[in-house]
Amino acid sequence: MLGTAPAYVLSWSAWRLLSTIIPGRPFHVMDDLFYAIYQSMVLFFFENYTGVEVLIYGDIPKNKENVVYLSNHQCTADWIIADMLAIRQNALGHVRYVLKDGLKWLPLYGWYFSQHGGVYVKRSANFDEKAMTSKLCSQTKCGAPMYLVIFPEGTRYNPELPKVISDSQAFAKKEGLAVLKHNLTPRMKASHIAINAMKDHLDSVYDITVAYEGTLKATGGRRSAPSMPEFLCKECPRVHIHFERVDLKEIPKEAVFFRRWLHERFEIKDKLLTSFYESEVPEQRCKFPGEGRKSPLSLKKTLPSLLFLGGLTLPLLLTDTGRKLYLKTWIYGTFVGWLWVNISP
């Protein structure tokens, strides 16, 4: 996946230069297509190669929608879960992320995620509401489809970091909110701004709860969710995804009421995860209430992308000139990406 990145960025950059003389809408259409090709290749490894079984609780709309995707956050593999759902709606190219500011340092990816419509945010007092609103409004103004992924907890829930969990619970208690056991207290700013900024563009909000099988200890209790490398090493046999589509009419606009609404959504997640890990009925553990439907991903949706990107990458690696260009793309891409993210308005 990392090996194809330079070839992908070179191809995308060529399109970016060609598209400077045409309106923004055609650029976004091709940009989404490029992104869908790359992410399909990623899903080849995370689904087809690993053989992970995806179980979905709830009905995913068959048609594409403009949505804000709100999910609990446990590990780096959570980003892939959004792709897993989006590809099943043929909306993979529309996925964009609200990312913590530190991720802009990622070589090539940090710059490209911003180009694709992703938003970098800082926490607490450093949160730039105007910048986020401006970025989202510019995307929706040109009609870019939106599958905006947000993890309201702001950081990962990790049972091996009890201080983070206890601090989050203490904050909830201080603010008069229900104390959560299997989630961190959600932060509302990014979600509230996103939904309000795009209210005339969105169709709904997707409320997602994810649990990774294999994270229940034999002695009881919860262990850390798998990282991306662990996931690729086939250490997660099944992913359980609880899906609920929320109508925009149900979501309050005022910040104080939105905060309460968001916390109530996380209370529901907490109950689902408590049942998953702690149900008194052994047969009901390691699954969500209700019926989970298996949702296998066809090779037809991922293998062509793997072959296409592999075909772009191999010529770069088979010649001295290609290898030099490949290396320069990593080096210059990292440097230019850093400048773009840190200096551009």
Side-chain angles (χ1 to χ4, degrees):
M1 290 182 290
L2 293 172
T4 59
Y8 175 82
V9 169
L10 287 170
S11 302
W12 179 87
S13 298
W15 164 245
R16 188 71 181 99
L17 288 173
L18 289 172
S19 65
T20 54
I21 59 174
I22 63 176
R25 178 60 179 163
F27 162 72
H28 283 292
V29 170
M30 285 301 296
D31 177 43
D32 286 356
L33 177 60
F34 271 110
Y35 188 76
I37 290 172
Y38 186 82
Q39 293 300 89
S40 296
M41 183 268 295
V42 169
L43 285 175
F44 169 84
F45 291 102
F46 277 91
E47 283 210 59
N48 301 124
Y49 166 73
T50 63
V52 65
E53 191 171 85
V54 177
L55 284 86
I56 299 177
Y57 302 74
D59 297 319
I60 301 174
K62 294 181 180 179
N63 298 325
K64 301 176 186 178
E65 294 188 296
N66 290 316
V67 302
V68 169
Y69 169 114
L70 302 177
S71 176
N72 59 316
H73 193 20
Q74 310 160 73
C75 62
T76 51
D78 291 336
W79 307 98
I80 307 300
I81 305 302
D83 287 348
M84 289 179 177
L85 290 180
I87 198 171
R88 286 163 171 79
Q89 288 181 272
N90 295 315
L92 189 54
H94 305 169
V95 175
R96 314 176 206 283
Y97 299 104
V98 173
L99 303 149
K100 62 182 180 181
D101 191 64
L103 292 175
K104 67 186 180 185
W105 296 94
L106 285 173
L108 297 183
Y109 296 99
W111 167 73
Y112 178 69
F113 282 145
S114 177
Q115 294 296 292
H116 185 63
V119 182
Y120 289 109
V121 296
K122 295 181 180 180
R123 295 174 183 169
S124 304
N126 295 320
F127 192 101
D128 192 337
E129 298 184 19
K130 291 183 178 179
M132 181 176 182
T133 301
S134 176
K135 182 73 176 281
L136 294 175
C137 287
S138 67
Q139 292 283 310
T140 56
K141 187 176 181 180
C142 67
M146 189 62 66
Y147 199 103
L148 186 67
V149 178
I150 303 177
F151 299 104
E153 288 164 283
T155 191
R156 284 169 265 169
Y157 177 99
N158 187 342
E160 296 181 3
L161 299 175
K163 187 178 186 309
V164 174
I165 297 172
S166 62
D167 287 348
S168 176
Q169 292 174 337
F171 175 79
K173 188 177 292 186
K174 177 184 175 183
E175 296 295 316
L177 301 169
V179 174
L180 307 177
K181 185 175 182 181
H182 288 283
N183 292 298
L184 300 179
T185 303
R187 303 165 187 261
M188 53 82 67
K189 279 189 179 180
S191 307
H192 185 242
I193 291 170
I195 294 172
N196 276 354
M198 300 189 296
K199 59 181 180 294
D200 296 326
H201 189 66
L202 295 177
D203 296 304
S204 64
V205 167
Y206 290 172
D207 186 3
I208 309 298
T209 308
V210 179
Y212 298 92
E213 197 161 314
T215 53
L216 177 63
K217 297 179 181 179
T219 56
R222 180 177 173 182
R223 64 162 55 96
S224 299
S227 64
M228 291 175 73
E230 289 169 341
F231 198 103
L232 288 170
C233 289
K234 305 183 181 182
E235 294 187 20
C236 178
R238 293 181 187 84
V239 175
H240 298 257
I241 305 172
H242 188 278
F243 176 93
E244 185 174 351
R245 184 182 185 276
V246 181
D247 194 291
L248 293 175
K249 295 178 182 178
E250 300 177 21
I251 303 173
K253 296 179 181 179
E254 297 81 2
V256 63
F257 298 116
F258 180 88
R259 182 189 190 192
R260 178 66 62 177
W261 172 85
L262 182 63
H263 198 84
E264 288 173 353
R265 299 307 307 183
F266 269 77
E267 289 179 54
I268 295 172
K269 293 180 186 298
D270 212 55
K271 290 177 182 177
L272 289 169
L273 291 167
T274 298
S275 174
F276 187 92
Y277 288 106
E278 303 177 20
S279 176
E280 295 180 359
V281 181
E283 293 77 14
Q284 293 179 0
R285 289 184 201 140
C286 294
K287 62 181 183 180
F288 289 132
E291 182 181 357
R293 293 176 292 101
K294 295 179 182 178
S295 181
L297 182 63
S298 171
L299 271 173
K300 294 179 181 179
K301 289 196 172 187
T302 60
L303 188 57
S305 296
L306 175 69
L307 297 175
F308 174 73
L309 289 171
L312 288 178
T313 302
L314 280 177
L316 290 177
L317 300 176
L318 293 177
T319 64
D320 288 338
T321 302
R323 284 192 288 270
K324 290 177 182 177
L325 179 61
Y326 182 93
L327 182 59
K328 287 178 180 178
T329 302
W330 269 110
I331 296 173
Y332 294 151
T334 301
F335 177 67
V336 172
W338 180 87
L339 288 177
W340 179 270
V341 172
N342 286 276
I343 297 176
S344 63

